[in-house]
Amino acid sequence: MLNKKLEILQKLDKGESARTNAEDALNEGNTVPHSAALQSVETLLDYMGQRGFDYGDITAVRKICVDIRQEMNKQQKQRLIADFFKAANMKRKIPRLMLYSMQM
């Protein structure tokens, strides 16, 4: 991951395009995954730190990282809850299926 960040920064220093997975996803009409957004914002933070940006600006970008991580955690919790209910629902269906097969 660090090598990828360095590669992007080197391309930017040379004036080249530094397309990322997030840009590719946008160009394809897809939504940007949280992990790609987080990686891009962390790269921006590294860049800002190297270039001596204002502390307030860096703090604002750090807040974006926190917001992305919170959203990722929220979605993970929602997936876990959904998986739990799917599993619980399957446990209830199995005895019914067994009873149905015995009646045949």
Side-chain angles (χ1 to χ4, degrees), residues 5-42:
K5 289 179 183 179
L6 290 173
E7 179 184 331
I8 290 170
L9 289 175
Q10 288 170 349
K11 285 183 178 182
L12 288 172
D13 285 342
K14 293 178 185 175
E16 297 176 19
S17 173
R19 292 186 54 160
T20 63
N21 294 341
E23 288 174 332
D24 291 339
L26 277 177
N27 291 335
E28 294 172 8
N30 299 327
T31 58
V32 177
H34 288 103
S35 57
L38 185 60
Q39 180 182 1
S40 297
V41 175
E42 286 174 342

Side-chain angles (χ1 to χ4, degrees), residues 83-93:
D83 290 346
F84 171 79
F85 282 113
K86 285 178 189 173
N89 193 26
M90 285 303 295
K91 287 179 184 175
R92 280 190 272 147
K93 286 183 180 180

Side-chain angles (χ1 to χ4, degrees), residues 25-69:
L26 277 177
N27 291 335
E28 294 172 8
N30 299 327
T31 58
V32 177
H34 288 103
S35 57
L38 185 60
Q39 180 182 1
S40 297
V41 175
E42 286 174 342
T43 301
L44 177 61
L45 267 176
D46 292 344
Y47 178 79
M48 292 173 77
Q50 291 174 0
R51 301 292 182 219
F53 276 71
D54 181 66
Y55 179 76
D57 294 336
I58 292 173
T59 302
V61 175
R62 280 191 184 137
K63 172 74 171 96
I64 293 171
C65 285
V66 169
D67 291 345
I68 293 170
R69 285 190 189 101

Side-chain angles (χ1 to χ4, degrees), residues 72-88:
M72 290 172 73
N73 289 337
K74 184 173 99 178
Q75 286 188 355
Q76 177 64 23
K77 286 179 186 177
Q78 289 172 344
R79 277 193 298 273
L80 290 173
I81 291 168
D83 290 346
F84 171 79
F85 282 113
K86 285 178 189 173

